[in-house]
Amino acid sequence: MIKIYGIAGSRARRSLWAIEEVGVEYEHVQTSFMDDSKTAEYLSINPNGRVPALLDGDLALFESMAINLYLANKYGGDLYPRTKEDEARAIQWSFWGITELEPHLIQMVMHKMFLPEAERSPQAIEAAEQALERPLPVLDAALAEHPYLLGDSFTIADLNVAGVLSTALFAGYDYSKHANVQRWAEACLSREAFVRTGSL
Ligand SMILES: N[C@@H](CCC(=O)N[C@@H](CS)C(=O)NCC(=O)O)C(=O)O
């Protein structure tokens, strides 16, 4: 049976969302990003010592975006784009999510919640908020023409980018001035499969 390693309070949530969305049977191996992810057994699955990871038969995969694209492609039906062009767009948006959005959101979360009090910096939070003003208008414009990134229906492109953006909720960051982003994120993050991951 497929195994997903990680805890919902980590980047593993987006891979739990993907597997809940595709609806295949799986085992959720609760694996914290502290000690659990540094054992010899876990490092044989993900030598980076980070979560998430996936095991499917002989395949051990790390990187949340790769895991999600694999799950959608192999098991996801219409969640995976039907044309090569849309497949390329889904890969583009997935890379974009973790390169253009995620670093700023993580900076915000670190300085609001995780760093020791003495190391937290309001300037770093402000800098992250300012930096997000470059990618968020790009996302907003892409969502002006269609309800979802690739057109009229929800696909893995939406799941991957909304999964990254969901860190903003955790960080208490309000992106509602980007009206299309707000509307789209509400539609994505109210899906039953995502909501279920909140209690995994
Ligand atoms: N690019 C990786 C990042 C994974 C990652 O950094 N996960 C964090 C938890 S949110 C982790 O495992 N941190 C533990 C560590 O860095 O030792 C992915 O998207 O899967």
Side-chain angles (χ1 to χ4, degrees), residues 28-168:
H28 178 198
V29 186
Q30 297 281 353
T31 308
S32 85
F33 47 81
M34 303 297 280
D35 294 350
D36 295 347
S37 58
K38 310 298 181 288
T39 64
E41 189 191 351
Y42 185 76
L43 290 171
S44 72
I45 297 161
N46 183 353
N48 300 286
R50 298 187 200 271
V51 295
L54 164 145
L55 256 191
D56 187 7
D58 289 339
L59 176 69
L61 264 189
F62 50 79
E63 286 301 325
S64 54
M65 298 290 113
I67 292 169
N68 289 3
L69 288 163
Y70 168 75
L71 286 171
N73 192 2
K74 187 159 180 191
Y75 304 107
D78 288 344
L79 192 63
Y80 200 77
R82 287 164 187 261
T83 66
K84 289 288 172 203
E85 289 77 10
D86 276 347
E87 178 182 54
R89 292 184 185 104
I91 294 169
Q92 166 201 275
W93 281 114
S94 303
F95 282 20
W96 181 88
I98 52 163
T99 55
E100 300 290 333
L101 277 187
E102 185 162 82
H104 311 305
L105 291 166
I106 294 293
Q107 179 166 321
M108 209 177 276
V109 168
M110 292 305 289
H111 284 270
K112 282 190 174 183
M113 303 164 85
F114 286 113
L115 287 173
E117 286 285 348
E119 291 171 35
R120 295 185 194 179
S121 150
Q123 289 83 358
I125 296 170
E126 205 185 310
E129 284 180 6
Q130 274 177 18
L132 283 166
E133 287 311 313
R134 182 166 177 175
L136 286 177
V138 174
L139 183 57
D140 201 69
L143 292 165
E145 303 290 319
H146 306 282
Y148 293 101
L149 286 169
L150 304 189
D152 291 332
S153 55
F154 176 83
T155 68
I156 193 65
D158 302 290
L159 190 153
N160 278 347
V161 177
V164 169
L165 189 64
S166 68
T167 307

